Amino acid sequence: MGVDFNLQREFDIIAIGRACIDLNAVEYNRPMEETMTFRKYVGGSPANIAIGISRLGLKAGFIGKLADDQHGRFIRQYMSDAGVDTSHMVIDREGHKTGLAFTEIKSPEECSILMYRDEVADLYLQPSEVSEDYIKRSKILLVSGTALAKSPSREAVLKAVQLARKNDVKVVFELDYRPYTWVSEAETSVYYTFVAEQSDVVIGTRGEYDVMENRQDGKNEETVCHLFGHSPELVVIKHGVDGSYAYTKSGEIFKGQSYKTKVLKTFGAGDSYASAFLYALIKGKDIETALKYGSASAAIVVSKHSSSEAMPTVHEIEQLISERAEEKS
Amino acid sequence: MGVDFNLQREFDIIAIGRACIDLNAVEYNRPMEETMTFRKYVGGSPANIAIGISRLGLKAGFIGKLADDQHGRFIRQYMSDAGVDTSHMVIDREGHKTGLAFTEIKSPEECSILMYRDEVADLYLQPSEVSEDYIKRSKILLVSGTALAKSPSREAVLKAVQLARKNDVKVVFELDYRPYTWVSEAETSVYYTFVAEQSDVVIGTRGEYDVMENRQDGKNEETVCHLFGHSPELVVIKHGVDGSYAYTKSGEIFKGQSYKTKVLKTFGAGDSYASAFLYALIKGKDIETALKYGSASAAIVVSKHSSSEAMPTVHEIEQLISERAEEKS
Amino acid sequence: MGVDFNLQREFDIIAIGRACIDLNAVEYNRPMEETMTFRKYVGGSPANIAIGISRLGLKAGFIGKLADDQHGRFIRQYMSDAGVDTSHMVIDREGHKTGLAFTEIKSPEECSILMYRDEVADLYLQPSEVSEDYIKRSKILLVSGTALAKSPSREAVLKAVQLARKNDVKVVFELDYRPYTWVSEAETSVYYTFVAEQSDVVIGTRGEYDVMENRQDGKNEETVCHLFGHSPELVVIKHGVDGSYAYTKSGEIFKGQSYKTKVLKTFGAGDSYASAFLYALIKGKDIETALKYGSASAAIVVSKHSSSEAMPTVHEIEQLISERAEEKS
Amino acid sequence: MGVDFNLQREFDIIAIGRACIDLNAVEYNRPMEETMTFRKYVGGSPANIAIGISRLGLKAGFIGKLADDQHGRFIRQYMSDAGVDTSHMVIDREGHKTGLAFTEIKSPEECSILMYRDEVADLYLQPSEVSEDYIKRSKILLVSGTALAKSPSREAVLKAVQLARKNDVKVVFELDYRPYTWVSEAETSVYYTFVAEQSDVVIGTRGEYDVMENRQDGKNEETVCHLFGHSPELVVIKHGVDGSYAYTKSGEIFKGQSYKTKVLKTFGAGDSYASAFLYALIKGKDIETALKYGSASAAIVVSKHSSSEAMPTVHEIEQLISERAEEKS
């Protein structure tokens, strides 16, 4: 049970993909048109996960491309200060920009994001900038689906997956589907299917698996049946407030509950979930416990203003789990 | 002396080009990496000038293209509230974004801008979205050089110039040169030369005229000699703190002094200068007075945090002029 | 009457624009699907005109960009052998291709062209590759409208026009409108209008002037009224088999008749017309005679298989004119 | 031994990729600059293979996209006349062109191709234009590597591979590497590796495998060791005049000799080899025999002027094999 990692490896996780800037509304509970001030945070799913993993005391690295400007330098400094190894974050020399996400928080239920993803530096990561020597120092390669949205980042990620498999590095695929940048859902489906089939662990929402399968209202059973015909040994499918399911190749099914909390916004829930869930797996905890860690971490982040900066410590996660356990009993 | 406008026209100025978002550092006198909060303003040279003209009590209109998102809606509302006619600001339906300018204020002498200009809505204005009926209702068509940087905005502006000339609308060309977006200075030179030759009034810094002439250290005399061989009747060349020169086709030269002030940042100086200078011309004041209006308006704006919001009233401008006149005497 | 050229200049004409390959059906009078063999010729309107001018004994030069391959080398050699100065035909180093035109000759009335114009070398001519020293050695700069269809060739041509005007070189604008490559007729209209207004002589079909004016069924009187408000002193408007009209700024109108001939195909008629018409003007003949030269040259070319190779000599043209004059009398 | 095909399937092979036009020098043994006439043939590796297979009496289909012009219509008619099912060759509606290959034959040893591959219709095949119902009617899906060079054709092919694997259709991957169109060898390597790993049969030259492995002077043993760790069961590596090797997953190695012949040009050798080799496999012949069929077919095609039109019949192949066997004995 659980996933067997190569424990000799120095890094727990190396994430690949985007590291961007979130510009979160300082004045919220209103439409963005009426928000006059924005606060800057590091954002982007794989960056958040690497920061979250590092906050939990594990060793994270990052493969990505940063703009050669003030935003790019801020991101590198912030991640480095957070304990993430940034030695393989390369600097773009062709004038590409840092991706931006302006967040609008009308209410806890109505959050939206205004993205700037045209010509962003992270999508210009080249296959030649992905190092086999680096990847093979890690237990896990964490792949974010958005990094597959465009060439040459797409090929850089595909190469990283090939190198991970060649070097006994577990591939964790966080579907992280964002419609912008992709040309069509048919295109997304092709690449998500290829990468999911070659991954060891796949994590996503039911809606994201539907995109991968290019269908609507897909069934978990069919999804896992297909994936277990290939490399995956663990598949996590999240159903929002209805909780999440973890399926193992050996046939087990685990259900995770979400923890109720005072929600400020929904951003960052998935990233905090992934980092705590993976933390627990790496620490050798059973899948049931890992699901609790994921849910607790998500509950903490959605109650706070940022995603990256709000990533909890192990103590905070375990405290919330034990408090809720006591309430129940 | 001065410029003869068609006084029957309803609009004093119709500006064409970009209306964007400035994100100004709330914490300043530091590198942007250390600025954590940004305040949102409407920006972009022609938008600032239209707002400035409107603040001065004249009637301004705008031809431009806005993103179909929260930033686009904010811009339209702000400009409309400022009194600018927004009936010819069209909405982009192809997912283009609002241009952004993050401002960094390290010190009054060291200001820089981090621009987001990839795939911005304003550069997607189509020739077919430029209305002859609208342009011919104005005394002046104000053209911003940046709108020439890329197709189809380039052709929309060239068409607007053709329509203005056909309909006895004075063309004022604010060179407003920004290197990003342009492919090369050779490209800029070609279009700046064509439009300047067909304009009635040209305004720019000495450096911008050098770009137009694709040379370095150009001489004012040669610049005006070339331009007065074509349509221009008034040419303004700004030399920063050394003041500005206005040349008329009839051979007069006027020197304008800059007013000393407590500078917070240098952004917005050119736009506030242009709006007050044109205000004075439209009001029939002589060129010497117009130069004072321009300088006074610039002095006011550089002492404040924003560009658009800081645009002064006639009273503020005239008060500063009279105060400084008293100090001298 | 006629146009005054600077007779001190070494070159009679320097043409700017495309030099391409025509692949003419060897088996004709059938759909191209059934044509199995194609014969290679140099093609492209300004190349044909330069070759035609050279065949007539005048001195022609060419500014253009050639692919770095067998087709590019063939074109340079052919034009050089034809007497055209090729010293300013630059070689593309970025892998662009030679434009191609497969001609289909179903019948003399039904000819069509299958064009290859994507990423062609001629449209990559840079403004920096246009030499003022070269242009000022010529009496005439001949501009082909198609070279305005795309950047950077567009800017190279606009720069050439600016340099010609600065150096007392007459600008002859052959509208040469081809819909492919242009984004829209609105775009074409903007550039055609600007260049026509700045030219000394404009030559085109009625349909091409309609594209320039972005209208349908335009009237010659309105066209010339507009153009004579700017630089042009001579405007030629062709009406196919109904003949052509030449208008002068001083108010004269000349009508040219087309000569009947055994038509093989219609390609090349315009280019042969232009070269002979300009030859006559340069030689100081009156406009009426120049129109005859143009028509005679066109009549000769449409009866032959190629465009470039069929360009007639002065003797052939004058013989046809005198034969037809005798037939009439 | 050999490959087990699903013999119930109606089609022997469905090929996916490009169908183009070859323009072969009529006058050869000279540089192309001196060739004045070109003869038109259908070309493109997968089209040639489909035609070759059909010439051998098997049933071939084709998935591809054709330009909506005379060349596109010629290709469809030619392939249909050759017996290939063209029901899934879709027509491009966006103005893309037919790919062209001008062939230069200086000598049998010095052949080169001048390609027109910019904006060609075949590379615009969409994933949505790939039909699962069609693919599952075939024993084999033949994938040409060049079709992976650019989106959306790339995704269409990847989807076809996923559908073939899902429906028990053998995937044959003809590496068919052409450097144009690809951004870099690193990009090629990523996709070639993914598709080769998921194929049942891989065919290519040693040089093409080196591109796949992004290395130089690769060893056959390492190549097959890697591939047999995944789906392939048969790997063919061609070493030009030194013959070819076929490796099976079960450890057998077969060496095929090339037949000496009077070579006119080298084009088409690979396509004729593949069609005859696959014909023999489908017919249940052993691998040693299949290698002979491939070599004999190649020897016939290189002695003739075209590729597609020269594809031999079974009788011609078997005659050459038996003649050569007699000569030896």
Side-chain angles (χ1 to χ4, degrees), chain B residues 239-250:
Chain B
H239 290 256
V241 292
D242 296 335
S244 53
Y245 295 86
Y247 299 84
T248 68
K249 199 169 213 150
S250 56

Side-chain angles (χ1 to χ4, degrees), chain B residues 55-77:
Chain B
R55 190 75 42 83
L56 294 166
L58 297 182
K59 185 149 182 54
F62 201 88
I63 301 171
K65 195 161 214 168
L66 293 173
D68 186 15
D69 62 22
Q70 295 96 331
H71 286 345
R73 288 187 288 276
F74 168 72
I75 292 169
R76 178 190 284 274
Q77 190 61 47

Side-chain angles (χ1 to χ4, degrees), chain B residues 97-116:
Chain B
K97 292 284 182 286
T98 304
L100 302 177
F102 289 88
T103 61
E104 175 181 63
I105 307 173
K106 287 188 186 169
S107 72
E109 292 77 34
E110 277 185 292
C111 298
S112 72
I113 300 182
L114 173 53
M115 304 293 300
Y116 278 71

